[in-house]
Amino acid sequence: MNRKASPKMRAAASVKSVSYSTSPLLATPTPPWRSKLLVALVGLGFSVLLGRAAYVQIIDAPFFLKQGEIRYGHTIELAASRGRILDRNGLILAASVPAPSIWAIPKDLEGDAASRTGLARALGMTSVELESRLADNPNFVWLRRQVDDGVAKSVRDLAVKGIHEVREYKRKYPEGEAAAHVVGFTNVEEHGQEGIELAFQNDLAGRDGTRHVIKDRLGRVVEDIGESVAPVDGRDIGLTIDSKVQFFAYQRIRDAVAANKAQAGSVVVLDAQTGEVLALANFPSYSPADRRNLSGAQLRNRAVTDTFEPGSTMKPFIVGWALETGRVTPSTIIQTAPGRMTLTGSTITDSHPHGNLTVSEVIQKSSNVGAARIALTFTPREMWELYSAVGFGQKPQLVFPGVVTGRLRPYKSWRPIEQATMSYGYGLSASLLQIAHAYTVFAHDGELIPVSLTRPLGAAPAAAISGVRILSPKTAATVRAMLHLVTLPGGTAPKAQVMGYSVGGKSGTAYKQEGKGYAEKKYRSWFVGMAPIAQPRIIVAVMVDEPTAGKWFGGDVAAPVFSEVVQQTLRMMGEPPDLDVKPQIVSRDVPADDESF
């Protein structure tokens, strides 16, 4: 080769000198299976893609359409306003008001440490609490629900990005702890948890509406899609409760519990002509608006959920039936000396020996021996039927959560001593509401009338109703006269007297059960009565649980509460006085006769 040739010529010559046909790589024969494998893999990949396309577009198309819609379509819930709870006069006991709630999108949250500290302070939290909540979920977290407008404004003024506000409804209870056990309360989602709020949840809640919209990536509504469903607000519920009577009854039982250093107390007020519940008060109570650190003792509606042995409040039923069946008259002499009697090895005693007592005096003096001697003239079945007829051992027909049945054992298992002790209230159990209900037999001329807690809104005052006949009107009037004697000098409850009104009732005191026996120094005290005595307008039942201030008889502990509640209630109802005031001022100071229990 010419050494003087140019570089370009030399390169061309070197390329021409390579022989590709003799390359060992190209000379190696290719296996046929390799090309077939490549074709098969391409075909398999195409089949997979085709199958996936068919699955997405044909077989499971609704699922993927729904998933796609979730990315842009949203359903907004239109909250219904919860119905109100009103008393018999239209005053509000519970109502829902708009309230702002604060929420956050933690991943969008901006701001320095100072702004977060300010946010925590505005929400009433510590910085640690706030950070803990923000760490729960990066997309959504509630910070504070149903806050005051002042709190919401403080949060808005901080203008922290990622913090949002929504309007909800918050339940308000104007009567507070006075009506808490009747009205009950809801949770933060406005679902009833106790009382009327729970009993009428479906009526009060209404039905939420819906609105279907398209949102952009920032969460802003772009347009509506489909038809919206308007919310249906809840129905208002009217109660028979008179909020003024309820408040006064609550104050009186609260004060009595404090004065007697007792565990608890209850008051039930019934309209004696209609059976409507005018008040149902308990202490301890709670504020429905602040339920932090609540105890079971505060939540219990004792007047309807607690049962106990009713003691001497049962004696009028025994005497009433003995009068009705002609076994005795009010002046029949009952031998109670020497103040005790023994049956099958067990002894029944009076507080002190009374000697011979008339039937009227058996009630006035509350003689256990006298009541037992009268009761033992009945057959067990007859006595059981009497107690059942007036509602003992029967669940009250009241739409209210927690209403109890009480206990009345079948008569076939009664022994004579058990029949005798049940005549003065041991061996059976009942709630305070059941006892008040049973006393409608005496107040309503011998008829047991149903009790009610609700009434149509705007309805005219209810007229007197008829019930189930238990006693004749004459017998009922005779028993009322005996109950009136209980509140006079020589009776067990002169402190039940009311200025300007004649009253009658029965005190009761019983040992508290403890395990399989009775506690020696723990008592329950009652007074159940009516006024005015000739034509009763109201029935009031009072129970004080475990008084420890040195008094425990029902005539000393419960009767004064009865007196105050009756006087205030009759005045509120516009009932004219039926007595002169002056003679009563003297008679109320007469000491009560000790009650047998």
Side-chain angles (χ1 to χ4, degrees):
M1 182 178 292
N2 188 0
R3 293 185 179 184
K4 293 183 179 181
S6 66
K8 183 182 291 186
M9 293 175 63
R10 288 199 299 269
S14 63
V15 170
K16 289 179 181 179
S17 65
V18 176
S19 177
Y20 287 97
S21 61
T22 60
S23 170
L25 179 63
L26 296 178
T28 303
T30 301
W33 62 266
R34 183 180 297 176
S35 59
K36 293 179 181 180
L37 176 63
L38 290 174
V39 172
L41 289 175
V42 171
L44 179 62
F46 180 77
S47 299
V48 170
L49 292 175
L50 183 64
R52 180 61 178 171
Y55 178 78
V56 170
Q57 298 186 41
I58 300 174
I59 299 174
D60 206 18
F63 170 79
F64 289 98
L65 288 172
K66 182 178 180 181
Q67 292 301 308
E69 185 179 339
I70 288 174
R71 271 60 176 176
Y72 66 86
H74 298 269
T75 298
I76 299 176
E77 190 174 84
L78 306 176
S81 178
R82 189 174 178 85
R84 301 173 300 169
I85 300 175
L86 309 173
D87 83 341
R88 66 188 299 110
N89 300 311
L91 298 179
I92 294 175
L93 299 177
S96 294
V97 297
S101 291
I102 311 301
W103 60 282
I105 303 177
K107 66 181 181 183
D108 293 344
L109 194 63
E110 295 182 358
D112 54 18
S115 65
R116 291 201 178 200
T117 301
L119 177 61
R121 188 181 302 111
L123 292 171
M125 299 179 173
T126 64
S127 296
V128 174
E129 274 187 287
L130 177 62
E131 295 301 329
S132 175
R133 293 208 178 186
L134 293 173
D136 284 345
N137 188 322
N139 298 310
F140 175 89
V141 64
W142 287 111
L143 296 181
R144 275 281 186 266
R145 298 188 69 177
Q146 300 176 358
V147 298
D148 295 334
D149 289 333
V151 173
K153 184 178 184 304
S154 299
V155 173
R156 285 196 299 270
D157 291 344
L158 293 173
V160 177
K161 185 178 179 181
I163 302 298
H164 305 274
E165 177 184 321
V166 66
R167 303 294 286 183
E168 293 190 299
Y169 286 103
K170 183 177 182 178
R171 207 67 168 158
K172 293 286 187 180
Y173 301 95
E175 293 301 314
E177 61 186 22
H181 290 109
V182 177
V183 179
F185 58 86
T186 64
N187 61 14
V188 73
E189 302 291 347
E190 286 212 319
H191 294 156
Q193 304 295 298
E194 293 284 347
I196 295 295
E197 294 276 31
L198 173 60
F200 291 89
Q201 165 64 23
N202 292 336
D203 297 291
L204 289 164
R207 187 173 65 251
D208 291 340
T210 55
R211 177 189 174 198
H212 302 286
V213 299
I214 294 176
K215 291 185 179 182
D216 63 14
R217 68 181 186 86
L218 299 178
R220 297 172 298 191
V221 175
V222 176
E223 64 174 307
D224 289 316
I225 54 174
E227 294 185 1
S228 297
V229 178
V232 178
D233 289 341
R235 180 170 67 88
D236 292 345
I237 300 296
L239 302 185
T240 61
I241 294 293
D242 186 314
S243 57
K244 294 179 181 178
V245 177
Q246 176 75 25
F247 180 72
F248 190 80
Y250 172 74
Q251 284 187 317
R252 298 288 72 79
I253 195 63
R254 179 196 62 192
D255 294 347
V257 169
N260 292 283
K261 298 180 181 179
Q263 294 292 319
S266 301
V267 177
V268 175
V269 183
L270 298 182
D271 187 313
Q273 299 302 311
T274 65
E276 293 178 328
V277 180
L278 302 179
L280 197 160
N282 299 276
F283 186 84
S285 186
Y286 62 94
S287 172
D290 183 10
R291 302 187 296 276
R292 291 171 295 182
N293 303 318
L294 278 182
S295 66
Q298 290 174 287
L299 283 171
R300 286 209 328 263
N301 188 343
R302 298 168 187 270
V304 300
T305 65
D306 285 16
T307 61
F308 43 78
E309 292 178 312
S312 295
T313 59
M314 299 300 295
K315 291 172 183 174
F317 298 101
I318 297 299
V319 169
W321 191 248
L323 291 168
E324 183 74 11
T325 55
R327 286 179 168 90
V328 298
T329 67
S331 58
T332 299
I333 298 297
I334 306 296
Q335 175 57 261
T336 66
R340 61 182 181 275
M341 64 181 290
T342 301
L343 284 173
T344 59
S346 298
T347 301
I348 296 170
T349 61
D350 284 339
S351 58
H352 55 270
H354 294 293
N356 291 335
L357 294 177
T358 65
V359 171
S360 295
E361 288 173 332
V362 167
I363 295 296
Q364 183 185 26
K365 304 293 184 182
S366 194
S367 169
N368 289 347
V369 174
R373 290 195 184 280
I374 295 172
L376 289 173
T377 65
F378 305 161
T379 65
R381 177 173 180 173
E382 186 179 13
M383 188 169 161
W384 181 88
E385 288 177 345
L386 169 65
Y387 281 3
S388 294
V390 296
F392 295 108
Q394 313 293 318
K395 188 172 183 178
Q397 298 302 305
L398 203 66
V399 182
F400 199 81
V403 174
V404 292
T405 301
R407 185 174 73 105
L408 179 63
R409 293 187 298 109
Y411 63 87
K412 291 182 179 180
S413 63
W414 292 6
R415 294 178 297 148
I417 185 60
E418 292 172 325
Q419 182 176 348
T421 58
M422 277 192 272
S423 71
Y424 54 92
Y426 285 92
L428 71 157
S429 66
S431 67
L432 191 66
L433 176 67
Q434 284 179 300
I435 297 174
H437 179 211
Y439 268 64
T440 63
V441 169
F442 308 125
H444 203 265
D445 287 335
E447 292 181 338
L448 182 76
I449 60 175
V451 293
S452 59
L453 192 55
T454 59
R455 69 196 309 254
L457 293 171
I465 62 173
S466 60
V468 178
R469 173 68 60 189
I470 306 296
L471 304 174
S472 68
K474 180 181 178 181
T475 299
T478 302
V479 174
R480 287 202 302 271
M482 295 179 183
L483 296 176
H484 181 51
L485 293 175
V486 173
T487 67
L488 298 180
T492 60
K495 293 178 182 178
Q497 291 186 35
V498 176
M499 296 299 175
Y501 298 98
S502 61
V503 299
K506 187 68 191 74
S507 58
T509 311
Y511 290 110
K512 289 186 67 172
Q513 284 185 307
E514 205 168 71
K516 294 183 179 181
Y518 293 91
E520 289 186 4
K521 295 183 179 181
K522 293 183 180 180
Y523 312 93
R524 280 194 178 95
S525 307
W526 303 275
F527 190 86
V528 187
M530 59 206 70
I533 199 63
Q535 292 182 325
R537 249 340 243 107
I538 58 172
I539 297 168
V540 177
V542 181
M543 184 277 291
V544 178
D545 185 14
E546 206 172 315
T548 60
K551 297 180 180 179
W552 53 84
F553 289 116
D556 290 325
V557 175
V561 180
F562 167 88
S563 173
E564 293 171 331
V565 171
V566 166
Q567 186 162 14
Q568 188 72 13
T569 302
L570 290 178
R571 287 180 177 177
M572 288 179 181
M573 297 174 72
E575 184 71 19
D578 67 335
L579 289 180
D580 292 332
V581 174
K582 186 175 179 180
Q584 293 178 276
I585 297 176
V586 177
S587 61
R588 285 194 66 181
D589 294 332
V590 175
D593 194 12
D594 286 347
E595 182 176 357
S596 302
F597 63 95

